[in-house]
Amino acid sequence: MLLRSVGLVVAAVALATGSIHLLTDPQTGGAQSERQSIQARIDEAAPGDTIRVDGGVYNERIVIDKAIKLKGMNDPVIDGGNEGDVVLITASGASISDFVLRNGGKNISQEAAGVKVDGADEVEIIGNRIEDARFGIYLLESAGSTI
């Protein structure tokens, strides 16, 4: 009975502070890597959650549409495949840090970027390396962000 009580306390703390999700390298495997992409984890996350992404190459473009923290570990790469924005952030209070973001779209009329923030305020973009993108970081109608 004591263990059940402790479990309830831990669950309450996790709800109060936001959940932490771990996504492991898609090339080397791992318990969670074969199940989901980074975007799938974002879609499942609740505002306030932190998603930690292990090193590896993730061939996808992502949209952060809620106030979450996306944190890279061991230099994960998000490869946009030369199409559009690699990362599009539309949620105020969102954060992305410690990633390599590469291969954004080349069409100048799309204004594709490594990271585009569109209409979101107080976004954090910290410690990322952007490679081969028409625009590195592009803030559009956004205020109070940290780069």
Side-chain angles (χ1 to χ4, degrees):
M1 192 62 147
L2 179 59
L3 289 176
R4 177 172 274 166
S5 297
V6 171
L8 291 174
V9 171
V10 170
V13 170
L15 288 174
T17 60
S19 299
I20 297 177
H21 306 268
L22 177 64
L23 186 63
T24 57
D25 181 357
Q27 270 78 44
T28 61
Q32 298 177 27
S33 65
E34 61 274 5
R35 291 192 313 203
Q36 295 179 321
S37 65
I38 296 172
Q39 187 63 57
R41 294 311 284 256
I42 292 169
D43 294 344
E44 290 180 354
D49 284 359
T50 298
I51 301 171
R52 296 187 187 277
V53 179
D54 197 14
V57 177
Y58 299 83
N59 295 304
E60 61 183 306
R61 295 169 34 223
I62 64 171
V63 176
I64 301 175
D65 57 358
K66 55 189 88 168
I68 61 167
K69 295 183 185 307
L70 192 61
K71 172 89 173 129
M73 303 179 312
N74 304 314
D75 300 316
V77 174
I78 301 175
D79 190 315
N82 297 310
E83 298 288 331
D85 304 310
V86 179
V87 177
L88 174 61
I89 300 175
T90 60
S92 294
S95 170
I96 183 168
S97 60
D98 303 318
F99 281 84
V100 176
L101 308 168
R102 70 179 185 203
N103 295 328
K106 306 298 184 243
N107 186 339
I108 197 158
S109 66
Q110 292 179 339
E111 299 178 334
V115 179
K116 183 184 285 179
V117 180
D118 191 353
D121 298 326
E122 298 180 11
V123 170
E124 293 183 344
I125 304 167
I126 300 171
N128 299 290
R129 188 172 73 230
I130 299 172
E131 302 173 347
D132 199 21
R134 169 92 39 209
F135 298 99
I137 299 173
Y138 183 16
L139 278 69
L140 180 63
E141 298 182 21
S142 302
S145 294
T146 302
I147 300 174

